[in-house]
Amino acid sequence: AITVATQASGSIMFHDWMFSGRMYFTDKLVGMGAKIILCDPYRCLVQGPNRLLSEKMESPDIRAGMALLLAALAAGERADLDPMLIVAVMAIESGFNPIAESPMGAQGLMQVIPRFHQDKLDAVSGSSLLDPIANIHVGALVLKEYIRLTGSLEAGLQQYAGAASDGDALYAAKVLAERQRIESAVRRISQTGA
């Protein structure tokens, strides 16, 4: 939310009343061009909008990432899909941005278009596609349906992206390469015990 606030007009105060030190990463955002005043270990003031410059960042706070992985595991089990495939689709579709919206109207982590999949959203929970958990579940159901209808993983991925007529299947190749990259990273971590 703090990163998003750097793009909003005006000033926004963030207060994490539960945990001290959660504002540790604001110095990285300041280094990228954000105007953030760290008031104390619990609060920061964000002034925007700011143009952020790209910089590699690492986050020791894995809670948000773990929540997405758990949602992908649950959605994968529900839709009988590989959870790492779901994570790869999120990476390609939205870059893990839960509030992403495309010019075509696609929303959330899995970039689901509500007018085409309202039935699945209603079946999952009826909440907004900007709810990350609902979005992951609906996206997984949509992907599973497309794989079933087209008869293959690659064709289902192409249909998911609205690129069924792409004979080179570039979208599917991109998602499958991302899944392989994620799986390789998981293997490296499990081998090192980190």
Side-chain angles (χ1 to χ4, degrees):
I2 292 173
T3 306
V4 173
T6 67
Q7 303 306 299
S9 294
S11 297
I12 301 172
M13 174 69 75
F14 286 88
H15 185 183
D16 185 341
W17 54 271
M18 191 172 242
F19 299 103
S20 68
R22 276 261 185 100
M23 307 297 174
Y24 61 86
F25 66 92
T26 56
D27 62 325
K28 301 279 190 193
L29 290 171
V30 169
M32 296 170 68
K35 293 181 184 156
I36 301 174
I37 300 167
L38 190 58
C39 304
D40 57 42
Y42 297 93
R43 299 176 303 141
C44 72
L45 179 68
V46 180
Q47 299 170 334
N50 306 126
R51 184 165 187 266
L52 298 180
L53 305 172
S54 67
E55 181 177 303
K56 185 174 181 177
M57 286 182 62
E58 293 182 16
S59 174
D61 184 356
I62 62 170
R63 284 177 287 245
M66 288 304 294
L68 294 180
L69 286 175
L70 289 173
L73 285 168
E77 184 172 321
R78 182 177 190 173
D80 192 29
L81 285 175
D82 174 9
M84 290 302 136
L85 177 66
I86 296 169
V87 173
V89 169
M90 285 189 279
I92 300 302
E93 286 291 331
S94 67
F96 300 108
N97 179 356
I99 60 170
E101 293 192 62
S102 79
M104 296 297 294
Q107 297 180 344
L109 290 162
M110 299 278 289
Q111 288 293 279
V112 177
I113 300 176
R115 68 179 182 269
F116 298 137
H117 305 292
Q118 189 61 48
D119 60 326
K120 291 173 188 65
L121 180 60
D122 292 341
V124 167
S125 68
S127 63
S128 166
L129 283 171
L130 295 178
D131 170 347
I133 305 302
N135 188 280
I136 293 168
H137 280 278
V138 172
L141 292 173
V142 171
L143 181 56
K144 180 65 174 189
E145 178 181 348
Y146 288 163
I147 293 168
R148 183 182 56 77
L149 290 173
T150 62
S152 76
L153 174 59
E154 290 78 9
L157 283 166
Q158 288 299 120
Q159 182 71 35
Y160 188 89
S165 62
D166 173 17
D168 294 329
L170 296 176
Y171 176 80
K174 190 185 296 188
V175 170
L176 294 174
E178 182 66 14
R179 178 176 70 173
Q180 186 175 19
R181 189 187 71 74
I182 292 166
E183 289 171 343
S184 294
V186 169
R187 277 193 301 277
R188 278 194 310 275
I189 289 169
S190 65
Q191 289 169 352
T192 62

